[in-house]
Amino acid sequence: MIFDINTLFFILILVISFFYSSVGHGGASGYIALLSIFSFSTLEIRPTALFLNIFVSGISFIFYNRYSYFNWKLFYPFAITSITFSFIGGSIQIDLKIYKIILGVFLIISIFRILLTNKNNNINIVDNSINISLFIGALIGFFSGLIGIGGGIILSPLILFLNWGNIKQAAAVSSLFIFVNSVSGFTGYIINDNSFPFDNLIILPFVIIGGALGAFYGSKKLSNIILSYFLAFVLFIASIKLLVY
């Protein structure tokens, strides 16, 4: 039986895309961590993660939208400001250590919040504030483009914190939010850097398979309680990546 380091990498990338897409995420933070562990060049990690993010988040949105979990009114204020600021963030090259630490700590707090409330099925959903949503979208867009993630790991827990939607509604909104941010951030990166590691396209079929399976089970088969554990797991992976790498 042949089982080398490349086989292990492709299995892990498939598993990561499964878990992330199941909660409406693209998986960029997980891909960045895995690519770093497997010693990919720092110059190719960011564009590769954003590119894979586009496909997985798009697949996740298709499934969640099919089962009517998407809320346009909740989505569009975030998108209006995030697309522009994600492009700006994706074109900037700076020392990201302090931002990663702040975001990592925020995600750890989010994990405890989700685990402590995951059995509450009687959430009182309230309408989102347009002005607050526009502001949040700008912040998330800028930092997601800057760090090289789609922003869903920030948006999902915020939607739940503010009671603007349940976990499947948050997944549906986050998936499209991640998609548009990833396209914008990727475009900003390519225009600024003018390069893409085409050899890494071999990874794409594995994340598509994992993403499709995860999105199907997340949107149709899994309960809100199980999804909350999945989301906590995804945020844990993301927080470790941000704090360690």
Side-chain angles (χ1 to χ4, degrees):
M1 178 178 178
I2 301 176
F3 189 85
D4 58 17
I5 194 69
N6 291 325
T7 303
L8 176 62
F9 172 81
F10 289 124
I11 291 174
L12 291 175
I13 206 83
L14 190 150
V15 171
I16 288 173
S17 63
F18 174 89
F19 276 105
Y20 274 76
S21 65
S22 70
V23 293
H25 294 185
S29 55
Y31 307 143
I32 291 172
L34 191 64
L35 292 169
S36 300
I37 291 171
F38 280 80
S39 301
F40 280 72
S41 167
T42 54
L43 295 177
E44 60 183 315
I45 289 176
R46 188 178 174 191
T48 299
L50 281 171
F51 185 74
L52 299 177
N53 230 32
I54 292 171
F55 282 87
V56 177
S57 61
I59 291 170
S60 187
F61 172 71
I62 289 171
F63 277 94
Y64 274 97
N65 184 54
R66 176 183 297 176
Y67 297 109
S68 302
Y69 292 114
F70 180 70
N71 183 339
W72 172 256
K73 183 181 178 182
L74 181 57
F75 166 77
Y76 83 85
F78 296 123
I80 288 174
T81 49
S82 70
I83 293 173
T84 300
F85 281 86
S86 178
F87 180 89
I88 295 172
S91 64
I92 296 175
Q93 301 285 346
I94 62 172
D95 184 0
L96 306 177
K97 187 174 181 179
I98 186 66
Y99 301 111
K100 289 183 177 182
I101 292 174
I102 293 172
L103 182 54
V105 171
F106 168 78
L107 293 183
I108 291 174
I109 295 172
S110 300
I111 292 169
F112 284 105
R113 168 76 174 183
I114 291 168
L115 292 177
L116 289 173
T117 60
N118 65 6
K119 291 181 172 61
N120 181 12
N121 293 316
N122 299 314
I123 301 174
N124 182 27
I125 304 300
V126 298
D127 290 336
N128 57 306
S129 165
I130 302 300
N131 290 333
I132 294 176
S133 297
L134 290 169
F135 178 71
I136 290 174
L139 286 179
I140 296 177
F142 179 76
F143 287 111
S144 63
L146 195 68
I147 298 173
I149 60 177
I153 57 171
I154 311 172
L155 182 59
S156 287
L158 280 175
I159 290 175
L160 298 176
F161 285 172
L162 297 169
N163 289 338
W164 288 351
N166 62 37
I167 194 163
K168 290 195 176 183
Q169 291 169 333
V173 170
S174 294
S175 61
L176 186 57
F177 180 83
I178 292 167
F179 177 82
V180 297
N181 268 340
S182 296
V183 170
S184 181
F186 181 76
T187 302
Y189 183 92
I190 293 300
I191 291 175
N192 181 65
D193 190 73
N194 198 31
S195 65
F196 179 77
F198 288 98
D199 290 344
N200 290 348
L201 289 178
I202 192 174
I203 303 172
L204 186 58
F206 295 92
V207 300
I208 289 177
I209 293 171
L213 290 173
F216 170 73
Y217 279 98
S219 61
K220 185 173 177 61
K221 299 292 187 180
L222 301 179
S223 69
N224 284 349
I225 292 176
I226 294 176
L227 276 181
S228 68
Y229 285 114
F230 273 31
L231 179 58
F233 175 70
V234 165
L235 296 180
F236 174 74
I237 294 175
S239 63
I240 294 300
K241 178 265 162 187
L242 290 165
L243 293 173
V244 174
Y245 296 99

